[in-house]
Amino acid sequence: MRVFNFSAGPAALPLEVLEQARAELTDWGGSGMSVMEVSHRGHAFTELAEQSEARLRSLLAIPSTYRVLFLQGGASAQFAAVPLNLTAHGAAADYLNTGTWSGKAIEEARRLGVAVNVAADEAGSRYTTVPAPGALRLNPAAAYVHYTPNETIGGVEFPYVPDTGAVPLVADMSSTLLSRPIEVSRFGLIYAGAQKNIGPSGLCLVIVHEGLLARARPETPSVLDYTRMAAHGSMLNTPPTFAWYIASLVFQWIESHGGLAAMAARNRAKAELLYGAIDGSGFYRNPVERSCRSWMNVPFMLERAELEPLLLREAAAAGLTHLEGHRSVGGLRASLYNAVPLAAVEALVAFLREFERRHG
Ligand SMILES: *Cc1c(COP(=O)(O)O)cnc(C)c1O
């Protein structure tokens, strides 16, 4: 039996994708082998790589002035790759601090000698808000502005794209990329670990404007160097072939379900249903300011926190899994990525109402 999996990551994948992967696991495309057993430099895999990039470009309408990279090391490797590729040691960069993940990006940039200017910090609201557009203290001489459009743990999402003028905007879109259409040309660089909305962990997508290439520090490890990776089709070394393959099936799945506009409509409906149920009860509570609530990650708590372990047990028994909040913040959280169907959210809402009826 498949459960409804609300994990924040690694997260649910579309059932159709898993079934296709299973059907061709031992004989991929008539090769007599699984996709994991073929050479990444062979014709079949090279074609997969090209087609998957073309599909991603078409889904996101990525302009031809951007390179698309399929890298390893997850989003966390990009916390280091961004400063290594875009700054000289000691150069200044702006970071917006809206929670756990932007905090980790800041820490890594400082380790690498970036003079980090925290251009906004939402600590005052305990990271339940995003800065107002006019409140950003941006440095016009910064090498880039880094932010996290969707904070996966706090469930806080920017309802706008910051205007950084001529300074390139860098976005960690790990938990939001492919959830809706975006305007890629607003960004200098977008990166996203795959295990939220794209595919298996380990793979990380990077979409970088060609104007940001060729400025890496000389000591940048080759596998983190955008220019070298772009020149080698992301295959300077052996890529994570199985993860890449699953991501390519996910791109096809999105395409066949109406593309990103359709994903956005579904995701909005799912989020509205769950927030409506939480707000309409005196029993559950979401701490995030309404204007910046995430469509993807919905943290919530019980007014009677002592009931949370019981709720988690009963939910799991009812086939609703991974509802625990991140270990750093506790409480509960439901992640509603593309692969989580509306039926899952309907089942969750019905469960929450019934739980409240019995314990409220
Ligand atoms: C999950 C996540 C990360 C970390 O991803 P790893 O692949 O584990 O390195 C970074 N940023 C955001 C916004 C995330 O959701």
Side-chain angles (χ1 to χ4, degrees):
M1 185 197 105
R2 289 279 291 174
V3 297
F4 287 135
N5 175 5
F6 297 96
S7 174
L13 283 164
L15 181 59
E16 288 149 278
V17 165
L18 296 174
E19 283 175 340
Q20 183 174 344
R22 176 173 63 189
E24 56 194 26
L25 184 65
T26 56
D27 182 7
W28 178 57
S31 64
M33 289 173 260
S34 81
V35 66
M36 286 176 276
E37 300 166 293
V38 304
S39 166
H40 58 293
R41 308 219 182 262
H43 175 71
F45 197 85
T46 311
E47 196 171 283
L48 179 149
E50 281 166 9
Q51 281 178 4
S52 57
E53 178 178 334
R55 279 218 166 78
L56 183 69
R57 282 185 176 277
S58 142
L59 285 172
L60 282 165
I62 301 174
S64 60
T65 45
Y66 287 77
R67 299 279 178 275
V68 175
L69 308 176
F70 291 75
L71 303 184
Q72 307 191 47
S76 299
Q78 295 308 310
F79 295 164
V82 168
L84 289 169
N85 279 275
L86 303 185
T87 66
H89 197 278
D94 286 343
Y95 278 75
L96 312 187
N97 189 4
T98 52
T100 306
W101 290 115
S102 42
K104 286 187 189 281
I106 289 169
E107 227 174 273
E108 195 73 349
R110 288 199 166 124
R111 278 166 54 83
L112 291 165
V114 175
V116 171
N117 167 44
V118 178
D121 192 322
E122 300 304 287
S125 72
R126 295 170 168 245
Y127 300 106
T128 59
T129 51
V130 300
L136 307 179
R137 298 174 300 272
L138 299 175
N139 166 13
Y144 58 86
V145 179
H146 180 282
Y147 84 121
T148 310
N150 185 73
E151 285 281 0
T152 319
I153 294 174
V156 177
E157 179 176 300
F158 277 77
Y160 68 95
V161 176
D163 180 359
T164 57
V167 178
L169 181 59
V170 175
D172 173 3
M173 291 205 186
S174 294
S175 49
T176 181
L177 191 67
L178 302 185
S179 69
R180 75 202 76 181
I182 54 168
E183 205 182 327
V184 173
S185 61
R186 299 285 303 274
F187 302 89
L189 190 157
I190 292 166
Y191 63 92
Q195 71 272 26
K196 316 295 164 61
N197 225 3
I198 296 165
S201 60
L203 177 70
C204 185
L205 298 184
V206 172
I207 301 166
V208 56
H209 191 273
E210 61 191 12
L212 295 179
L213 299 179
R215 41 172 103 170
R217 298 185 198 177
E219 71 271 23
T220 304
S222 302
V223 294
L224 295 181
D225 185 320
Y226 300 143
T227 313
R228 300 205 61 195
M229 275 305 212
H232 289 85
S234 306
M235 293 193 199
L236 204 55
N237 66 330
T238 317
T241 51
F242 190 71
W244 197 332
Y245 156 78
I246 295 287
S248 80
L249 297 184
V250 169
F251 300 159
Q252 277 178 54
W253 178 84
I254 294 173
E255 210 174 73
S256 69
H257 285 78
L260 296 187
M263 292 298 128
R266 274 167 45 123
N267 289 330
R268 178 194 283 276
K270 281 153 38 185
E272 278 174 1
L273 179 61
L274 183 52
Y275 284 118
I278 292 169
D279 291 343
S281 92
F283 190 71
Y284 306 104
R285 192 163 57 81
N286 170 280
V288 179
E289 183 177 291
R290 282 174 194 244
S291 62
C292 52
R293 284 173 165 181
S294 169
W295 290 8
M296 293 283 101
N297 312 99
V298 182
F300 60 105
M301 44 261 249
L302 289 170
E303 293 297 349
R304 291 170 58 198
E306 73 277 8
L307 287 173
E308 281 170 10
L310 178 66
L311 184 148
L312 289 170
R313 275 201 307 280
E314 289 192 1
L320 307 166
T321 76
H322 289 92
L323 286 165
E324 54 278 2
H326 190 268
R327 58 195 149 74
S328 62
V329 293
L332 305 162
R333 174 176 52 168
S335 294
L336 312 179
Y337 300 120
N338 288 344
V340 174
L342 179 63
V345 185
E346 288 168 347
L348 174 60
V349 165
F351 169 84
L352 293 176
R353 292 214 169 104
E354 171 60 17
F355 190 85
E356 177 177 358
R357 194 187 60 74
R358 282 184 288 116
H359 299 284

